[in-house]
Amino acid sequence: MKKPQRHPSEVAEIVAIQALSFVAGEPERLGLFLSESGIGPETLRSAAKDPQFLVSVLDFVLRDDETVKAFSASSQLDPTTIAAARHALDPRGQDFT
């Protein structure tokens, strides 16, 4: 039996949540992200429900080669998949491909 197809934005949200988990897994990286995003750790979970917040998570990961390589390795996702997820969440935004 075939698996049901997921909508690209649903897959993109899953990738972004994985990226958020990756960022949260290292205190220094999380601190930098929280500082730049202006949110506090107490609002992180609720912010994760906002697609624009998820875009900012992917932007944070994609802007630095070392960070995107580390996330790519930990998630076993190709960097182009990560960039495609970012584009699926906000097609008018930056293009990292």
Side-chain angles (χ1 to χ4, degrees):
M1 187 167 177
K2 290 173 67 174
K3 284 184 168 181
Q5 291 282 333
R6 294 185 186 260
H7 191 273
S9 64
E10 184 180 3
V11 174
E13 287 182 12
I14 292 168
V15 171
I17 295 295
Q18 288 176 312
L20 179 58
S21 178
F22 168 78
V23 169
E26 184 184 298
E28 185 176 322
R29 188 177 288 137
L30 177 61
L32 180 60
F33 176 72
L34 292 176
S35 173
E36 291 180 10
S37 67
I39 67 166
E42 66 281 351
T43 59
L44 197 57
R45 188 176 301 263
S46 62
K49 297 174 186 172
D50 178 6
Q52 282 309 116
F53 173 77
L54 296 177
V55 168
S56 71
V57 171
L58 291 175
D59 283 344
F60 179 82
V61 168
L62 288 166
R63 73 170 189 205
D64 175 65
D65 284 344
E66 292 305 313
T67 305
V68 75
K69 286 177 187 176
F71 175 56
S72 178
S74 81
S75 65
Q76 299 182 343
L77 293 171
D78 189 272
T80 58
T81 301
I82 301 164
R86 196 265 178 237
H87 181 75
L89 289 174
D90 184 16
R92 300 161 302 180
Q94 299 175 12
D95 185 9
F96 289 96
T97 59

